[in-house]
Structures are given as C-alpha cells and as structure tokens.
Amino acid sequence: MSVILVVDDDPEIRDVIQVYLRNEGHSVLEASDGVEALGVLAQREVDLIVLDVMMPRMDGIKACMQIRQSYSVPIIMLSAKEGDLDKIMGLSTGADDYITKPFNPMELIARVKAQLRRQKMLAEKGTAHHQITIRELFIDRAKHYVSIRGQEATLTPLEFSILSLLAASPGQVFSADAIYESVWKERAGYTDNTVMVHIRNLREKLELNPRKPEYIKTVWGVGYKIDN
C-alpha cells in the first residue's frame, strides 16, 4: 500500500481524488496548500504527491521547489493552464508529470500507477548494487545517490532514471523517443518537450556550464549521450 499526499485548495477535488486512490488500495493524506503540504511531509513519509498549481498562501510551483530541496518523492502537478510554457514551467520546478484540469480521474490513476511502478523498478535495480563512475560523475543506483565533482546532486526520480540510462551505456546515443519509452515505460506518442526539459534540468544540476555540457551531450538531430 502506497501513501499519497493530495494537495489542492478545492475540497471537492481532493475528495474525488482520494476516493479513486483509496479504491486502488492507497492510503491518502490531504493538504489545502503548499504550507500544509510541507508540514505533512515533515511528519510523514509519502510515496507520491499530487500537487495543484493554483493555491493560496503557497502555490504548487513554490511548494514543488521547496519539496525538491529535501525530497525525491514523485510529484504529479495539476493545473487549469494548458499551454506548453505552463507545462514546461511545472516540469522545470521538479515535477515528474503534469495533468491539466479538468481531468479524467482514471487518467490520473494511470499516471499514479506509472510513477509508483517506476519507483519500484528503481528500487529493484538498486538491489544489484550498480555503481557507475564517469570522470567526476558518480552514480550509486542502490542508494539513489549522485555526486558530481565531489558534491552530492539532488535529482528527481525521473532525472535519476534518465541519467542512469545514459551513463550505463556511455557513448550510445539515445533519441528522445527512446529515453521516453525506457524511462516513462509508455509509448512515445507525445508532442511536448518533456524529455528536453528534464535534460536541461539535469545539465543545470551537473554541468559547470550547461550551455557547453561536459557530460550530457546533444547529438543534433539524433538524441543525447554521455561519453566516458
């Protein structure tokens, strides 16, 4: 049974989400804004967060940024905004997925299952005690730990998965579709810049100069790679 935190200022939306989640066997915690959410996280360990964007006191964007400073738990953001820029903004703050309102509750449940399945697979891979070292980049899959130039790098679960995929096959070029299908475990039938945004976030965290990356290289027209 997974523990899921639902953060939304609309109690009716929280009620709908928690009914569907509990029907799937999950335990649900609730918060009405980012401040309450941070308070819950300080008291309880959760497996996933469903986080609304527009809320009083502390909105979802600010809450996501603060959560990412201390926690790597998967975050699915909810927003009434539909534009690509709004989606990119949500992912850039550290969210792992994004759903626009109004949404089909069954779609949300499917996204939740996908994120939890991905977390489980990461944990299973960790039991193999894989450690990868590429120059000053160190990845410990068992501990979900990354350091660069001797300093720990705090990555989201999806960022960690993308980095592990590239680093495990140095020199191999992965297309955006291949990355999406390998990491998200879904067919790459998307039209947004999801993979590009996560690559950009990784470079911001790992590269001395993200505009001239030493590790995550772009092979124009093909995809991305990490060389030894």
Side-chain angles (χ1 to χ4, degrees), residues 51-63:
L51 180 64
D52 187 35
V53 171
M54 300 301 293
M55 296 183 294
R57 289 208 296 174
M58 180 185 291
D59 64 29
I61 299 294
K62 292 179 181 177

Side-chain angles (χ1 to χ4, degrees), residues 51-108:
L51 180 64
D52 187 35
V53 171
M54 300 301 293
M55 296 183 294
R57 289 208 296 174
M58 180 185 291
D59 64 29
I61 299 294
K62 292 179 181 177
C64 187
M65 294 174 68
Q66 290 206 25
I67 290 168
R68 278 291 170 252
Q69 292 178 12
S70 304
Y71 307 96
S72 61
V73 57
I75 298 174
I76 299 176
M77 297 197 79
L78 305 177
S79 175
K81 298 181 179 181
E82 297 182 355
D84 285 342
L85 288 178
D86 298 311
K87 181 175 290 189
I88 291 172
M89 174 64 76
L91 293 173
S92 297
T93 62
D96 297 286
D97 204 350
Y98 187 107
I99 298 180
T100 55
K101 294 180 178 179
F103 58 88
N104 183 328
M106 294 310 298
E107 179 186 0
L108 175 60

Side-chain angles (χ1 to χ4, degrees), residues 2-218:
S2 299
V3 179
I4 299 175
L5 173 60
V6 178
V7 189
D8 197 304
D9 62 320
D10 187 331
E12 293 185 2
I13 292 178
R14 294 201 308 270
D15 287 345
V16 169
I17 294 174
Q18 65 92 8
V19 166
Y20 278 85
L21 289 173
R22 285 177 175 154
N23 284 342
E24 293 292 326
H26 302 300
S27 176
V28 180
L29 304 174
E30 297 184 22
S32 61
D33 57 40
V35 175
E36 284 189 16
L38 290 169
V40 172
L41 289 173
Q43 299 290 328
R44 293 285 303 275
E45 182 175 343
V46 306
D47 299 297
L48 184 143
I49 301 172
V50 178
L51 180 64
D52 187 35
V53 171
M54 300 301 293
M55 296 183 294
R57 289 208 296 174
M58 180 185 291
D59 64 29
I61 299 294
K62 292 179 181 177
C64 187
M65 294 174 68
Q66 290 206 25
I67 290 168
R68 278 291 170 252
Q69 292 178 12
S70 304
Y71 307 96
S72 61
V73 57
I75 298 174
I76 299 176
M77 297 197 79
L78 305 177
S79 175
K81 298 181 179 181
E82 297 182 355
D84 285 342
L85 288 178
D86 298 311
K87 181 175 290 189
I88 291 172
M89 174 64 76
L91 293 173
S92 297
T93 62
D96 297 286
D97 204 350
Y98 187 107
I99 298 180
T100 55
K101 294 180 178 179
F103 58 88
N104 183 328
M106 294 310 298
E107 179 186 0
L108 175 60
I109 294 301
R111 302 286 186 95
V112 167
K113 287 181 178 179
Q115 290 296 330
L116 292 175
R117 184 168 61 249
R118 193 169 299 117
Q119 283 293 91
K120 182 180 179 181
M121 291 179 67
L122 281 174
E124 290 173 349
K125 286 182 179 179
T127 61
H129 300 289
H130 290 306
Q131 293 184 344
I132 302 171
T133 301
I134 299 177
R135 286 167 279 150
E136 295 182 281
L137 173 65
F138 174 74
I139 303 168
D140 189 324
R141 287 178 171 176
K143 297 180 179 179
H144 202 274
Y145 173 85
V146 175
S147 67
I148 183 72
R149 291 175 288 276
Q151 299 294 318
E152 181 177 0
T154 302
L155 306 185
T156 69
L158 282 177
E159 289 167 358
F160 184 87
S161 295
I162 293 171
L163 181 63
S164 295
L165 174 68
L166 297 178
S169 301
Q172 180 176 340
V173 181
F174 291 84
S175 68
D177 283 0
I179 293 172
Y180 189 90
E181 292 179 359
S182 177
V183 172
W184 274 258
K185 305 302 178 186
E186 299 172 3
R187 294 191 64 180
Y190 63 98
T191 57
D192 56 30
N193 296 314
T194 300
V195 172
M196 183 190 72
V197 171
H198 284 83
I199 291 290
R200 185 178 66 189
N201 292 343
L202 274 170
R203 285 173 172 161
E204 291 289 340
K205 295 178 179 181
L206 301 177
E207 306 284 0
L208 289 173
N209 183 354
R211 293 181 180 274
K212 295 181 179 180
E214 300 175 33
Y215 290 93
I216 303 176
K217 303 290 186 66
T218 298

